[in-house]
Amino acid sequence: MKLKTVAIAAAALALAVGMTACGGAASTAASSTASSAAASSEAASSEVASSEVASSEVASSEAEATSAEYTVYNTTGSKVTELYLYDAGSEDKGENLAGEGLADGESIVITRDVEADKQADVVYVLEFTTEDGNTQSFDTLHYEVAPISLKSVDAAAGATAIAFEAPQK
């Protein structure tokens, strides 16, 4: 929008310069046209700036309200006895999110809230242990809304121990 007002002001200035070359009377009219175009352009810029500030404040408050949400599905074929989501590099894993255990086929929703200006820097570790003692982790989980399917050790023989998808029904 600001670019549009700048383009209008530039066009008015070009028109004024062009009319000046054509004659003296036209020069005065062009000059006043250019002045009024510049004034209206400046007023429009002020309105746009005010609007952008208001929009920015709304966007900022909306960004603060954004939560990371991970729907974690147990597709390991075993009961998950331990499930942690913690900051990468932290020694403290926090509470066991699996509680009494997460049976195969069950899911849990995990939410996290971080200040809007820090969300881009967040990196989590998602770690889980199955009842047969196998522990796996994914250590580059970012602040987002995503479905996550935990894989068995055999299925995780590929790139990661998780898949960013809900299980197929």
Side-chain angles (χ1 to χ4, degrees):
M1 199 66 162
K2 191 171 185 174
L3 183 60
K4 184 178 177 183
T5 56
V6 170
I8 291 170
L13 184 60
L15 179 63
V17 170
M19 292 181 87
T20 303
C22 292
S27 164
T28 305
S31 177
S32 90
T33 300
S35 294
S36 68
S40 69
S41 172
E42 188 174 314
S45 284
S46 295
E47 288 176 25
V48 168
S50 296
S51 174
E52 288 174 351
V53 167
S55 294
S56 174
E57 289 171 0
V58 169
S60 176
S61 67
E62 287 175 0
E64 290 172 9
T66 302
S67 294
E69 182 178 284
Y70 310 96
T71 304
V72 180
Y73 300 91
N74 179 2
T75 61
T76 63
S78 301
K79 181 178 183 179
V80 171
T81 56
E82 295 179 39
L83 176 66
Y84 300 98
L85 180 68
Y86 56 95
D87 291 327
S90 175
E91 295 290 323
D92 182 17
K93 294 181 183 181
E95 74 174 284
N96 178 0
L97 301 170
E100 297 296 314
L102 188 63
D104 185 48
E106 288 184 340
S107 65
I108 184 173
V109 176
I110 304 169
T111 57
R112 291 289 187 263
D113 293 305
V114 175
E115 294 174 18
D117 60 338
K118 296 179 182 168
Q119 291 174 1
D121 299 326
V122 171
V123 178
Y124 292 122
V125 174
L126 179 69
E127 182 179 307
F128 64 97
T129 302
T130 57
E131 65 186 341
D132 53 7
N134 290 315
T135 298
Q136 300 184 80
S137 65
F138 183 80
D139 55 359
T140 57
L141 188 61
H142 294 278
Y143 196 87
E144 59 193 317
V145 174
I148 299 173
S149 291
L150 305 178
K151 297 179 180 181
S152 69
V153 171
D154 293 335
T160 67
I162 66 172
F164 288 102
E165 60 187 26
Q168 300 296 319
K169 301 262 178 183

